[in-house]
Amino acid sequence: DPVNQFLPGIITMFVLFAISLSAQVIVEERRKGTLERLLTTRLTRGELFAGKFVSGLLRGFVQTLILLVLSYLVFQLFTPLSFLQVLVVALVFAAAASALGLLIAAIARTPDQATWISVVFTNASVILGGTFFAIPEGSIFATISKFSINSYVNEALVGLISEGKSLATMGKDIGIILGVAVGALVLSRLFFRPVPGGGR
């Protein structure tokens, strides 16, 4: 079934493309001094950082929610329980994508750098993660794909949507996605700069 085959890949692509938008916006806000002006309010750096993380998480999750609701209504792919389980995976993945967007924004110096880093990361994740084509087991690509977050998200979504599995059997995949989210969040907080050139 093409819908079952391609829906997980479409979901992950939409969320990953949100990374480039959030990274580019943060770098542009830093360059224009918007973040620095926000710090003249009662907002702390930690609260500013948390706000950026939550906005990225919600952007990715709402995009996924719209796709899933349309899939539910048009293609009747889910039971109510599987729909809720897919939403849990979508929320965890949106958190990881938001954290990765913050990390790219922390590394990039210009909006163009943020865009290119995001595009390269997204394309590499999509290609290596087996988003739209199966990666042969035992091949070099199967080994490399283990370094792509998409591999784990796609595996979880395909298991829930097409194979009738439950969240209980997706512990490894969800754990890795959560690990990426936490790791990227910690690193991005360490390098988060509201002011150009430094000023943590």
Side-chain angles (χ1 to χ4, degrees), residues 4 7 68-69 71-73 75-88 157 159-167:
N4 281 340
L7 181 63
L68 290 173
V69 167
S71 301
Y72 185 78
L73 295 174
F75 300 111
Q76 305 291 310
L77 291 178
F78 309 102
T79 65
L81 179 60
S82 69
F83 183 77
L84 290 175
Q85 292 181 109
V86 169
L87 283 181
V88 170
L157 291 175
L160 294 171
I161 294 170
S162 305
E163 299 169 3
K165 294 182 180 176
S166 70
L167 274 180

